[in-house]
Amino acid sequence: MTMLLRNRAVIALGLRMCSTQVTNGVLTDTAKHSSDVSAFREVFSKAKHIAIITGAGVSAESGVPTFRGKNEKWRRWLSQDLATPEAFSRDPSRVWEFYHYRRELVLNKKPSAVHLAIAECEARLKKQGRSVVVITQCIDDLHRQAGSKHVLNVHGSLMETRCMSCGHVAVNKRSPICAALINKGDPGPDVPDAQIPVDKLPRCDDRDCNGLLRPNVVFFGETLDSHILTKVEKEIETCDLCLVVGTSSIVYPAAMFGPRIASRGVPVAEFNIHTTPKSEYFMYHFQGPCGTTLPQALAQHESEVF
């Protein structure tokens, strides 16, 4: 598989493309989309392998800030200026304060109706020999908390760490993640940096390594995990229905997943509070809060038998 996604594995997170044209394949009737729930439900009832692509709007349903718009600043800095390898190298204490704040926020949130509907759908369809995969840009782990089993985290996870020395990746849900971060990370614009010594920041305990840990997320300017992208490519090449839920479709390469699937002639349904730059490519568009529109779309169809 040496197609578009394999090539895009080297594209830095955050790249914005000027064109919305899909060059690999021809999209049919891209200027129109339907909001006919009954028609979508018929397609859903026949699908055997469903890919669900989720973005920040799904996390927002659980009260997790999107870190855009009014939430894009932490203290005096834009979040995208903190979430970079250069920022972490320059001031790991500040960046860890920022991510500690985000971790603590997420640890206090619960899965929304969207997360629960997706997890329930996956479990229900599995009994029928059908499958659901979640391809998510969210890093909050709420899909797994809701019960989803088949989740591909394109941008990593806040609940994992990676050692800068030995590379060991581990699930880490400790709160706080280290003693030095207790009561740190307040986002207020006048709050001074804690300036925590680097040896007091989270450290690796794998085989007595003691290297500096970082959040196992994809920073802006970093490439996406090629192993994850290979799995994503397999899913988008084999699914027979796709749902694009709560994503603005502006961050690449994830923004092209839905259009790639649509280019195969596969039905794609978008669920969002507004249209996006990619809405025109999809067969269906359901406007409104995902917590309202998605559960009814994924509910048990009358044709389902157990």
Side-chain angles (χ1 to χ4, degrees), residues 80-114:
Q80 60 262 38
D81 293 334
L82 294 168
T84 70
E86 294 79 14
F88 189 79
S89 176
R90 184 168 55 247
D91 197 334
S93 173
R94 177 186 295 159
V95 174
W96 257 121
E97 275 201 89
F98 171 61
Y99 277 99
H100 170 66
Y101 164 68
R102 296 187 69 177
R103 279 170 55 92
E104 294 299 306
L105 251 179
V106 167
L107 286 167
N108 287 306
K109 302 300 182 183
K110 301 295 182 185
S112 70
V114 179

Side-chain angles (χ1 to χ4, degrees), residues 75-219:
R75 295 182 183 166
R76 300 185 301 278
W77 296 278
L78 294 174
S79 57
Q80 60 262 38
D81 293 334
L82 294 168
T84 70
E86 294 79 14
F88 189 79
S89 176
R90 184 168 55 247
D91 197 334
S93 173
R94 177 186 295 159
V95 174
W96 257 121
E97 275 201 89
F98 171 61
Y99 277 99
H100 170 66
Y101 164 68
R102 296 187 69 177
R103 279 170 55 92
E104 294 299 306
L105 251 179
V106 167
L107 286 167
N108 287 306
K109 302 300 182 183
K110 301 295 182 185
S112 70
V114 179
H115 298 103
L116 296 172
I118 293 172
E120 190 278 332
C121 180
E122 178 187 358
R124 189 180 79 244
L125 297 193
K126 183 178 180 181
K127 297 175 183 177
Q128 303 170 34
R130 303 159 68 190
S131 67
V132 173
V133 59
V134 179
I135 301 169
T136 186
Q137 300 169 75
C138 304
I139 61 175
D140 49 43
D141 220 34
L142 288 171
H143 280 298
R144 294 190 187 278
Q145 191 176 328
S148 291
K149 305 298 183 186
H150 194 182
V151 181
L152 297 176
N153 292 97
V154 177
H155 294 162
S157 172
L158 276 174
M159 298 303 134
E160 293 179 353
T161 55
R162 183 166 82 247
C163 179
M164 299 288 288
S165 297
C166 72
H168 179 66
V169 174
V171 174
N172 189 323
K173 297 184 179 181
R174 289 196 295 265
S175 175
I177 191 170
C178 69
L181 284 166
I182 294 175
N183 297 324
K184 299 297 190 292
D186 189 305
D190 299 321
V191 177
D193 287 351
Q195 298 183 339
I196 300 168
V198 69
D199 62 324
K200 301 298 182 184
L201 292 172
R203 313 297 296 193
C204 180
D205 57 9
D206 185 55
R207 298 186 300 274
D208 300 319
C209 169
N210 202 42
L212 176 65
L213 296 178
R214 57 161 281 179
N216 190 37
V217 298
V218 180
F219 287 150

